[in-house]
Amino acid sequence: LEPYEDVVASTAFLLSLASSSSRDSEEEIPKLYQEEDNYILLVSSARIVSLHASSYAQAWQLTWDDVESVEPLTLEVGYRLIPMVDMKQGGELVDRIKGVRRKLSKELGFLVHAVHIKDNLDLAPNGYQIKLMGVPVGEGELMPDHYMAINPGQVFGELEGTATKDPTFGMDAIWIADEHQDHAQSLGYTVVDTSTVIATHLSDIVRNHASDLLGVDEVKELLDRLEESAPKLVEDLVPKTVEWVVILKVLQNLLDEGVSIKDMRTIAENLAENAPKSQDPDALTMVVRNSLGRSIVQDLVGIAGELPVITLDPQLEQILQQSVQGDAATGAALEPGLAEQMNQSLIEAVQQQEVEGNPAVLLVAPTIRLLLSKMFRHSLPDLTVLSYSEVPDDRSIRMVANVGGNS
Protein backbone atom coordinates (compact mmCIF):
# COMPACT_ATOMS: atom_id res chain seq x y z
CA LEU A 1 0.00 0.00 0.00
CA GLU A 2 1.34 3.40 -1.00
CA PRO A 3 0.71 5.19 2.35
CA TYR A 4 2.48 2.38 4.22
CA GLU A 5 5.87 1.70 2.71
CA ASP A 6 6.98 -0.14 5.83
CA VAL A 7 5.92 -3.78 5.42
CA VAL A 8 5.48 -4.45 9.12
CA ALA A 9 3.39 -1.36 9.68
CA SER A 10 1.15 -2.04 6.67
CA THR A 11 0.64 -5.66 7.71
CA ALA A 12 -0.32 -4.61 11.24
CA PHE A 13 -2.74 -2.05 9.83
CA LEU A 14 -4.38 -4.57 7.50
CA LEU A 15 -4.66 -7.17 10.26
CA SER A 16 -6.36 -4.70 12.59
CA LEU A 17 -8.65 -3.60 9.81
CA ALA A 18 -9.59 -7.17 8.92
CA SER A 19 -10.79 -7.73 12.48
CA SER A 20 -13.24 -4.80 12.21
CA SER A 21 -16.57 -5.02 10.37
CA SER A 22 -17.37 -1.28 10.39
CA ARG A 23 -15.89 1.98 9.15
CA ASP A 24 -16.03 3.77 12.52
CA SER A 25 -12.38 4.65 12.25
CA GLU A 26 -12.49 6.15 8.76
CA GLU A 27 -10.25 8.98 9.81
CA GLU A 28 -7.47 6.39 10.19
CA ILE A 29 -8.02 5.04 6.68
CA PRO A 30 -6.03 6.68 3.91
CA LYS A 31 -8.18 8.92 1.64
CA LEU A 32 -7.35 6.66 -1.30
CA TYR A 33 -9.43 3.88 0.32
CA GLN A 34 -12.37 5.89 1.74
CA GLU A 35 -14.32 5.40 -1.47
CA GLU A 36 -16.61 2.38 -1.33
CA ASP A 37 -14.97 0.27 -4.05
CA ASN A 38 -11.48 0.93 -2.80
CA TYR A 39 -12.55 0.28 0.77
CA ILE A 40 -13.88 -3.16 -0.18
CA LEU A 41 -10.58 -3.88 -1.93
CA LEU A 42 -8.68 -2.84 1.19
CA VAL A 43 -10.73 -5.09 3.48
CA SER A 44 -10.31 -8.04 1.10
CA SER A 45 -6.57 -7.46 0.99
CA ALA A 46 -6.46 -7.25 4.75
CA ARG A 47 -8.21 -10.57 5.15
CA ILE A 48 -5.85 -12.24 2.66
CA VAL A 49 -2.88 -10.90 4.57
CA SER A 50 -4.45 -12.15 7.80
CA LEU A 51 -4.94 -15.64 6.36
CA HIS A 52 -1.40 -15.94 5.06
CA ALA A 53 0.10 -14.45 8.19
CA SER A 54 -1.64 -17.15 10.22
CA SER A 55 -0.30 -19.87 7.89
CA TYR A 56 3.25 -18.55 8.13
CA ALA A 57 2.99 -18.30 11.90
CA GLN A 58 1.86 -21.93 12.12
CA ALA A 59 4.69 -23.01 9.83
CA TRP A 60 7.24 -21.45 12.14
CA GLN A 61 5.73 -22.83 15.35
CA LEU A 62 7.45 -26.23 15.23
CA THR A 63 7.73 -28.49 18.25
CA TRP A 64 9.28 -31.90 18.94
CA ASP A 65 5.86 -33.36 18.14
CA ASP A 66 6.56 -32.49 14.50
CA VAL A 67 9.62 -34.77 14.49
CA GLU A 68 8.59 -38.28 13.54
CA SER A 69 10.00 -40.84 15.96
CA VAL A 70 11.43 -44.12 14.70
CA GLU A 71 9.57 -47.21 15.87
CA PRO A 72 11.68 -50.28 16.72
CA LEU A 73 9.32 -52.54 14.72
CA THR A 74 6.91 -51.45 12.01
CA LEU A 75 4.61 -53.34 9.67
CA GLU A 76 3.37 -51.32 6.70
CA VAL A 77 0.67 -52.66 4.41
CA GLY A 78 -0.77 -51.70 1.04
CA TYR A 79 -4.39 -50.54 0.93
CA ARG A 80 -5.81 -53.92 -0.13
CA LEU A 81 -4.30 -55.56 2.96
CA ILE A 82 -5.86 -53.08 5.41
CA PRO A 83 -8.76 -55.47 6.22
CA MET A 84 -6.18 -57.96 7.53
CA VAL A 85 -5.12 -55.54 10.28
CA ASP A 86 -8.56 -54.03 10.95
CA MET A 87 -10.27 -56.02 13.69
CA LYS A 88 -13.59 -54.31 12.86
CA GLN A 89 -13.41 -56.00 9.46
CA GLY A 90 -12.55 -59.37 10.97
CA GLY A 91 -8.80 -59.04 10.53
CA GLU A 92 -6.86 -61.70 12.45
CA LEU A 93 -3.34 -60.44 11.88
CA VAL A 94 -3.19 -58.23 14.99
CA ASP A 95 -3.92 -61.20 17.25
CA ARG A 96 -1.42 -63.32 15.35
CA ILE A 97 1.27 -60.70 15.89
CA LYS A 98 0.49 -60.59 19.61
CA GLY A 99 0.99 -64.34 19.67
CA VAL A 100 4.34 -63.97 17.88
CA ARG A 101 5.51 -61.37 20.41
CA ARG A 102 4.45 -63.54 23.34
CA LYS A 103 6.21 -66.63 21.98
CA LEU A 104 9.44 -64.83 21.07
CA SER A 105 9.58 -62.95 24.37
CA LYS A 106 9.53 -66.29 26.20
CA GLU A 107 12.15 -67.80 23.89
CA LEU A 108 14.56 -64.88 23.75
CA GLY A 109 14.26 -63.83 27.38
CA PHE A 110 13.20 -60.19 27.03
CA LEU A 111 10.02 -58.35 26.11
CA VAL A 112 9.87 -57.89 22.35
CA HIS A 113 8.73 -54.43 21.28
CA ALA A 114 5.17 -53.87 20.11
CA VAL A 115 4.74 -53.80 16.34
CA HIS A 116 3.52 -50.48 14.96
CA ILE A 117 1.08 -51.20 12.11
CA LYS A 118 0.14 -48.62 9.49
CA ASP A 119 -0.90 -48.35 5.86
CA ASN A 120 1.48 -47.12 3.19
CA LEU A 121 0.03 -45.95 -0.12
CA ASP A 122 3.50 -46.06 -1.70
CA LEU A 123 3.50 -49.86 -1.46
CA ALA A 124 1.90 -52.15 -4.01
CA PRO A 125 -1.80 -52.64 -3.13
CA ASN A 126 -1.14 -56.23 -1.98
CA GLY A 127 2.34 -55.53 -0.63
CA TYR A 128 3.70 -55.29 2.88
CA GLN A 129 7.00 -54.18 4.37
CA ILE A 130 8.63 -54.88 7.73
CA LYS A 131 10.94 -52.20 9.13
CA LEU A 132 13.49 -52.36 11.91
CA MET A 133 14.36 -48.96 13.40
CA GLY A 134 12.79 -47.37 10.32
CA VAL A 135 14.86 -49.41 7.85
CA PRO A 136 13.13 -52.00 5.60
CA VAL A 137 14.38 -55.51 6.39
CA GLY A 138 11.69 -57.63 4.74
CA GLU A 139 8.84 -57.37 2.27
CA GLY A 140 6.41 -59.44 0.24
CA GLU A 141 3.19 -59.50 -1.74
CA LEU A 142 0.07 -61.46 -0.87
CA MET A 143 -3.10 -62.57 -2.60
CA PRO A 144 -6.01 -61.83 -0.28
CA ASP A 145 -8.61 -64.63 0.03
CA HIS A 146 -6.03 -67.15 -1.20
CA TYR A 147 -3.71 -69.62 0.50
CA MET A 148 0.00 -70.14 -0.01
CA ALA A 149 0.96 -73.74 -0.80
CA ILE A 150 4.68 -74.09 -0.03
CA ASN A 151 6.80 -76.79 -1.61
CA PRO A 152 8.90 -78.21 1.29
CA GLY A 153 11.24 -79.95 -1.13
CA GLN A 154 9.33 -83.07 -2.10
CA VAL A 155 5.75 -83.07 -3.38
CA PHE A 156 3.74 -85.62 -5.36
CA GLY A 157 2.03 -83.52 -7.99
CA GLU A 158 1.50 -80.07 -9.41
CA LEU A 159 -1.06 -77.46 -8.46
CA GLU A 160 -2.96 -74.89 -10.48
CA GLY A 161 -2.45 -71.37 -9.24
CA THR A 162 -0.13 -68.39 -9.26
CA ALA A 163 3.54 -69.21 -8.76
CA THR A 164 5.35 -67.23 -6.06
CA LYS A 165 8.10 -67.46 -3.44
CA ASP A 166 7.71 -67.83 0.29
CA PRO A 167 8.93 -64.40 1.51
CA THR A 168 10.52 -65.79 4.67
CA PHE A 169 12.68 -68.64 3.38
CA GLY A 170 12.51 -68.12 -0.39
CA MET A 171 10.98 -71.54 -1.09
CA ASP A 172 8.84 -72.19 -4.18
CA ALA A 173 5.15 -71.70 -3.50
CA ILE A 174 1.79 -71.33 -5.27
CA TRP A 175 -1.20 -69.16 -4.44
CA ILE A 176 -4.29 -71.38 -4.50
CA ALA A 177 -8.00 -70.86 -3.93
CA ASP A 178 -9.66 -71.93 -0.68
CA GLU A 179 -11.29 -75.00 -2.19
CA HIS A 180 -7.90 -76.47 -3.23
CA GLN A 181 -6.44 -76.62 0.29
CA ASP A 182 -7.12 -80.28 0.96
CA HIS A 183 -5.83 -81.35 -2.43
CA ALA A 184 -2.59 -79.38 -1.95
CA GLN A 185 -1.99 -80.95 1.46
CA SER A 186 -2.58 -84.43 0.05
CA LEU A 187 0.21 -83.76 -2.45
CA GLY A 188 2.65 -82.83 0.31
CA TYR A 189 2.43 -79.04 0.20
CA THR A 190 2.47 -76.95 3.37
CA VAL A 191 -0.61 -74.72 3.17
CA VAL A 192 -0.84 -71.45 5.14
CA ASP A 193 -3.14 -68.43 5.08
CA THR A 194 -2.02 -64.87 4.42
CA SER A 195 -1.89 -63.90 8.10
CA THR A 196 0.44 -66.81 8.78
CA VAL A 197 2.71 -65.70 5.92
CA ILE A 198 3.24 -62.28 7.49
CA ALA A 199 3.40 -63.59 11.07
CA THR A 200 6.07 -66.15 10.10
CA HIS A 201 8.07 -63.53 8.23
CA LEU A 202 7.89 -61.14 11.19
CA SER A 203 8.89 -63.88 13.63
CA ASP A 204 11.95 -64.79 11.56
CA ILE A 205 13.06 -61.15 11.31
CA VAL A 206 12.67 -60.53 15.04
CA ARG A 207 14.60 -63.70 15.87
CA ASN A 208 17.44 -62.82 13.46
CA HIS A 209 17.63 -59.20 14.67
CA ALA A 210 16.96 -59.77 18.37
CA SER A 211 20.23 -58.14 19.39
CA ASP A 212 19.22 -54.92 17.59
CA LEU A 213 16.01 -54.79 19.62
CA LEU A 214 17.79 -55.10 22.96
CA GLY A 215 18.88 -51.80 24.48
CA VAL A 216 19.95 -50.38 27.83
CA ASP A 217 16.34 -49.91 28.93
CA GLU A 218 15.61 -53.60 28.37
CA VAL A 219 18.79 -54.60 30.24
CA LYS A 220 17.79 -52.40 33.18
CA GLU A 221 14.36 -54.02 33.25
CA LEU A 222 15.92 -57.49 33.24
CA LEU A 223 18.19 -56.60 36.15
CA ASP A 224 15.36 -54.89 38.04
CA ARG A 225 13.39 -58.12 37.84
CA LEU A 226 16.44 -60.16 38.90
CA GLU A 227 16.97 -57.80 41.83
CA GLU A 228 13.65 -58.93 43.31
CA SER A 229 15.08 -62.41 43.91
CA ALA A 230 18.84 -61.65 44.07
CA PRO A 231 19.24 -58.07 45.37
CA LYS A 232 22.84 -58.43 46.55
CA LEU A 233 23.97 -59.92 43.22
CA VAL A 234 22.58 -56.99 41.24
CA GLU A 235 23.79 -54.42 43.76
CA ASP A 236 27.37 -55.66 43.48
CA LEU A 237 27.22 -56.09 39.71
CA VAL A 238 26.20 -52.70 38.28
CA PRO A 239 28.04 -50.39 38.15
CA LYS A 240 30.53 -51.55 40.78
CA THR A 241 31.84 -54.52 38.80
CA VAL A 242 30.76 -53.99 35.22
CA GLU A 243 29.29 -51.11 33.22
CA TRP A 244 25.84 -51.21 31.63
CA VAL A 245 27.28 -51.04 28.12
CA VAL A 246 29.41 -54.15 28.74
CA ILE A 247 26.42 -56.15 29.98
CA LEU A 248 24.42 -54.98 26.98
CA LYS A 249 27.13 -56.10 24.56
CA VAL A 250 27.44 -59.53 26.21
CA LEU A 251 23.68 -60.08 25.97
CA GLN A 252 23.67 -58.92 22.36
CA ASN A 253 26.50 -61.35 21.57
CA LEU A 254 24.43 -64.19 22.99
CA LEU A 255 21.34 -63.20 21.01
CA ASP A 256 23.39 -62.87 17.81
CA GLU A 257 24.09 -66.61 18.02
CA GLY A 258 20.57 -67.61 19.00
CA VAL A 259 21.28 -68.10 22.72
CA SER A 260 18.41 -67.13 25.02
CA ILE A 261 19.11 -64.64 27.81
CA LYS A 262 16.21 -65.75 30.01
CA ASP A 263 18.59 -67.27 32.61
CA MET A 264 19.73 -63.84 33.81
CA ARG A 265 20.79 -65.17 37.21
CA THR A 266 23.43 -67.46 35.71
CA ILE A 267 24.56 -64.74 33.32
CA ALA A 268 24.85 -62.17 36.12
CA GLU A 269 26.73 -64.55 38.43
CA ASN A 270 29.32 -65.28 35.74
CA LEU A 271 29.73 -61.60 34.94
CA ALA A 272 30.21 -60.80 38.62
CA GLU A 273 32.86 -63.50 38.89
CA ASN A 274 34.81 -62.74 35.72
CA ALA A 275 34.34 -59.01 35.03
CA PRO A 276 37.04 -58.02 37.57
CA LYS A 277 39.54 -59.95 35.42
CA SER A 278 38.41 -58.54 32.06
CA GLN A 279 35.91 -56.01 30.70
CA ASP A 280 36.20 -57.39 27.17
CA PRO A 281 32.66 -58.31 26.04
CA ASP A 282 33.87 -61.18 23.81
CA ALA A 283 35.91 -62.74 26.64
CA LEU A 284 32.98 -62.39 29.03
CA THR A 285 30.61 -63.85 26.45
CA MET A 286 32.82 -66.95 26.21
CA VAL A 287 32.66 -67.67 29.96
CA VAL A 288 28.92 -66.98 30.04
CA ARG A 289 28.37 -69.40 27.14
CA ASN A 290 30.30 -72.07 29.04
CA SER A 291 27.93 -71.70 31.98
CA LEU A 292 24.91 -71.86 29.64
CA GLY A 293 26.26 -74.89 27.74
CA ARG A 294 23.66 -77.31 29.08
CA SER A 295 20.73 -75.18 27.95
CA ILE A 296 22.39 -74.42 24.60
CA VAL A 297 22.81 -78.12 23.84
CA GLN A 298 19.34 -78.97 25.13
CA ASP A 299 17.79 -76.42 22.78
CA LEU A 300 19.56 -78.24 19.93
CA VAL A 301 18.79 -81.89 20.67
CA GLY A 302 16.45 -82.07 23.65
CA ILE A 303 16.95 -83.44 27.13
CA ALA A 304 18.42 -86.87 26.46
CA GLY A 305 19.34 -86.64 22.79
CA GLU A 306 22.72 -87.54 21.40
CA LEU A 307 24.61 -84.58 19.96
CA PRO A 308 25.71 -85.14 16.34
CA VAL A 309 28.73 -82.98 15.54
CA ILE A 310 30.93 -81.93 12.64
CA THR A 311 34.60 -81.72 13.56
CA LEU A 312 37.75 -80.27 12.01
CA ASP A 313 40.87 -82.11 10.98
CA PRO A 314 43.56 -81.54 13.70
CA GLN A 315 45.96 -79.99 11.20
CA LEU A 316 43.29 -77.54 9.99
CA GLU A 317 42.38 -76.69 13.57
CA GLN A 318 46.02 -75.90 14.29
CA ILE A 319 46.19 -73.55 11.27
CA LEU A 320 43.08 -71.75 12.51
CA GLN A 321 44.52 -71.36 16.00
CA GLN A 322 47.62 -69.78 14.50
CA SER A 323 45.45 -67.37 12.51
CA VAL A 324 43.64 -66.36 15.70
CA GLN A 325 46.96 -65.57 17.33
CA GLY A 326 47.74 -63.35 14.34
CA ASP A 327 44.38 -61.53 14.43
CA ALA A 328 41.97 -62.56 17.17
CA ALA A 329 39.12 -60.40 15.92
CA THR A 330 38.93 -61.22 12.22
CA GLY A 331 41.25 -64.09 11.47
CA ALA A 332 42.79 -62.05 8.64
CA ALA A 333 45.78 -64.39 8.49
CA LEU A 334 43.58 -67.20 7.15
CA GLU A 335 44.15 -67.79 3.46
CA PRO A 336 41.07 -66.99 1.30
CA GLY A 337 41.39 -70.29 -0.56
CA LEU A 338 41.35 -72.26 2.67
CA ALA A 339 38.34 -70.34 3.96
CA GLU A 340 36.43 -71.04 0.75
CA GLN A 341 37.34 -74.74 0.88
CA MET A 342 36.10 -74.93 4.47
CA ASN A 343 32.90 -73.12 3.55
CA GLN A 344 32.14 -75.55 0.73
CA SER A 345 32.85 -78.60 2.89
CA LEU A 346 30.64 -77.25 5.67
CA ILE A 347 27.80 -76.51 3.23
CA GLU A 348 27.79 -80.17 2.19
CA ALA A 349 27.92 -81.35 5.80
CA VAL A 350 25.10 -79.01 6.86
CA GLN A 351 22.92 -80.13 3.96
CA GLN A 352 23.44 -83.76 4.91
CA GLN A 353 22.42 -83.03 8.48
CA GLU A 354 19.28 -81.28 7.29
CA VAL A 355 18.35 -84.28 5.13
CA GLU A 356 18.71 -86.54 8.19
CA GLY A 357 16.68 -84.16 10.33
CA ASN A 358 19.56 -83.32 12.68
CA PRO A 359 20.89 -79.94 13.82
CA ALA A 360 24.11 -78.84 12.16
CA VAL A 361 26.73 -78.41 14.90
CA LEU A 362 30.42 -77.66 14.39
CA LEU A 363 32.47 -78.62 17.46
CA VAL A 364 35.83 -76.86 17.78
CA ALA A 365 38.45 -75.68 20.25
CA PRO A 366 37.40 -72.74 22.47
CA THR A 367 40.09 -70.47 21.05
CA ILE A 368 38.69 -70.59 17.50
CA ARG A 369 34.96 -70.84 18.21
CA LEU A 370 34.30 -67.09 17.90
CA LEU A 371 36.37 -66.82 14.72
CA LEU A 372 34.43 -69.59 12.97
CA SER A 373 31.08 -68.38 14.26
CA LYS A 374 31.66 -64.95 12.74
CA MET A 375 33.12 -66.43 9.57
CA PHE A 376 30.11 -68.62 8.73
CA ARG A 377 27.27 -66.77 10.48
CA HIS A 378 25.85 -65.32 7.27
CA SER A 379 26.80 -67.95 4.71
CA LEU A 380 25.61 -70.81 6.94
CA PRO A 381 22.91 -69.40 9.23
CA ASP A 382 21.73 -72.88 10.27
CA LEU A 383 25.17 -73.88 11.53
CA THR A 384 25.77 -73.73 15.29
CA VAL A 385 29.41 -73.44 16.35
CA LEU A 386 30.14 -74.91 19.79
CA SER A 387 33.36 -75.24 21.73
CA TYR A 388 34.41 -78.36 23.62
CA SER A 389 34.00 -76.50 26.91
CA GLU A 390 30.34 -75.74 26.20
CA VAL A 391 29.26 -79.38 25.96
CA PRO A 392 28.27 -80.91 29.34
CA ASP A 393 30.41 -83.87 30.46
CA ASP A 394 27.40 -86.17 30.61
CA ARG A 395 26.25 -85.46 27.05
CA SER A 396 26.91 -88.13 24.39
CA ILE A 397 28.59 -86.95 21.18
CA ARG A 398 28.54 -88.62 17.77
CA MET A 399 30.83 -87.42 14.98
CA VAL A 400 28.96 -87.31 11.66
CA ALA A 401 31.50 -85.48 9.44
CA ASN A 402 35.09 -84.27 9.44
CA VAL A 403 36.17 -81.15 7.56
CA GLY A 404 39.69 -80.60 6.22
CA GLY A 405 40.95 -84.16 6.24
CA ASN A 406 42.26 -83.81 2.68
CA SER A 407 43.56 -80.23 3.10
Side-chain angles (χ1 to χ4, degrees):
L1 299 176
E2 294 177 2
Y4 294 87
E5 296 180 355
D6 186 282
V7 175
V8 176
S10 61
T11 301
F13 169 73
L14 290 174
L15 289 176
S16 65
L17 183 61
S19 64
S20 174
S21 59
S22 67
R23 298 176 64 177
D24 295 339
S25 303
E26 267 191 0
E27 65 278 3
E28 298 180 7
I29 303 175
K31 292 182 180 180
L32 174 65
Y33 298 104
Q34 288 183 6
E35 296 180 8
E36 186 67 29
D37 291 343
N38 290 339
Y39 176 79
I40 294 173
L41 174 63
L42 177 64
V43 172
S44 299
S45 300
R47 288 175 177 165
I48 291 173
V49 170
S50 175
L51 176 62
H52 284 281
S54 175
S55 300
Y56 288 130
Q58 291 178 10
W60 283 105
Q61 292 174 355
L62 294 176
T63 68
W64 281 105
D65 294 334
D66 296 298
V67 180
E68 185 178 0
S69 60
V70 175
E71 298 288 342
L73 278 172
T74 305
L75 171 63
E76 298 182 353
V77 297
Y79 72 85
R80 287 182 184 168
L81 302 186
I82 291 177
M84 293 180 61
V85 298
D86 186 356
M87 299 183 70
K88 294 180 180 179
Q89 300 186 50
E92 300 178 352
L93 184 55
V94 173
D95 286 337
R96 300 292 288 274
I97 290 176
K98 288 180 181 178
V100 168
R101 285 187 63 215
R102 186 179 299 109
K103 181 175 184 292
L104 289 176
S105 295
K106 290 181 178 179
E107 288 181 7
L108 299 174
F110 71 97
L111 182 63
V112 174
H113 292 271
V115 180
H116 182 63
I117 303 175
K118 64 179 183 180
D119 61 284
N120 184 346
L121 297 180
D122 292 330
L123 294 176
N126 291 335
Y128 71 89
Q129 193 172 76
I130 300 171
K131 292 183 176 181
L132 180 73
M133 303 301 178
V135 179
V137 290
E139 61 185 5
E141 284 199 41
L142 308 178
M143 286 189 69
D145 302 322
H146 284 69
Y147 288 78
M148 178 178 283
I150 303 171
N151 184 342
Q154 183 178 13
V155 292
F156 304 99
E158 297 184 357
L159 288 174
E160 293 184 3
T162 303
T164 186
K165 290 281 188 180
D166 163 39
T168 305
F169 304 109
M171 301 194 320
D172 292 333
I174 299 174
W175 288 111
I176 61 173
D178 184 9
E179 59 268 22
H180 297 150
Q181 281 191 76
D182 292 340
H183 178 58
Q185 290 174 338
S186 68
L187 295 177
Y189 288 86
T190 301
V191 181
V192 296
D193 60 20
T194 50
S195 292
T196 300
V197 173
I198 294 183
T200 302
H201 199 178
L202 177 65
S203 176
D204 184 68
I205 285 175
V206 171
R207 187 176 281 108
N208 291 334
H209 294 85
S211 64
D212 296 319
L213 296 171
L214 185 76
V216 173
D217 288 341
E218 287 74 30
V219 174
K220 187 177 186 306
E221 181 64 31
L222 289 171
L223 291 177
D224 286 346
R225 293 170 65 85
L226 176 61
E227 191 174 21
E228 297 174 4
S229 59
K232 183 62 175 174
L233 173 60
V234 176
E235 179 186 350
D236 293 340
L237 183 64
V238 183
K240 295 179 181 179
T241 305
V242 62
E243 295 293 334
W244 286 100
V245 66
V246 176
I247 298 178
L248 172 61
K249 183 57 180 175
V250 169
L251 296 179
Q252 289 176 333
N253 285 345
L254 294 172
L255 291 171
D256 273 336
E257 296 194 68
V259 178
S260 172
I261 60 173
K262 57 188 174 185
D263 187 2
M264 274 303 298
R265 187 185 187 102
T266 298
I267 294 172
E269 287 175 346
N270 277 269
L271 289 176
E273 179 183 353
N274 293 278
K277 307 171 189 175
S278 172
Q279 292 285 309
D280 177 37
D282 288 342
L284 291 173
T285 302
M286 182 174 71
V287 297
V288 169
R289 283 182 59 97
N290 290 343
S291 67
L292 297 175
R294 187 173 299 278
S295 64
I296 294 175
V297 173
Q298 182 172 320
D299 287 343
L300 291 169
V301 293
I303 297 176
E306 186 179 52
L307 180 65
V309 298
I310 304 166
T311 60
L312 298 179
D313 178 76
Q315 185 177 357
L316 174 58
E317 200 159 41
Q318 184 178 4
I319 294 173
L320 293 171
Q321 289 176 337
Q322 292 172 351
S323 75
V324 169
Q325 293 174 357
D327 191 329
T330 63
L334 190 63
E335 296 179 5
L338 179 58
E340 177 59 31
Q341 184 178 354
M342 282 183 59
N343 187 70
Q344 186 57 43
S345 298
L346 284 172
I347 288 176
E348 296 172 2
V350 169
Q351 290 175 342
Q352 182 59 37
Q353 290 300 95
E354 290 177 349
V355 169
E356 297 177 4
N358 294 324
V361 179
L362 177 62
L363 188 63
V364 298
T367 52
I368 62 174
R369 194 209 70 81
L370 180 59
L371 166 69
L372 295 179
S373 176
K374 290 182 176 180
M375 185 182 299
F376 301 114
R377 187 173 301 170
H378 299 294
S379 61
L380 291 167
D382 295 327
L383 177 66
T384 299
V385 184
L386 293 181
S387 74
Y388 303 131
S389 57
E390 293 170 357
V391 180
D393 294 337
D394 58 354
R395 177 67 69 166
S396 299
I397 295 176
R398 174 170 56 90
M399 189 180 74
V400 295
N402 182 263
V403 172
N406 297 324
S407 299

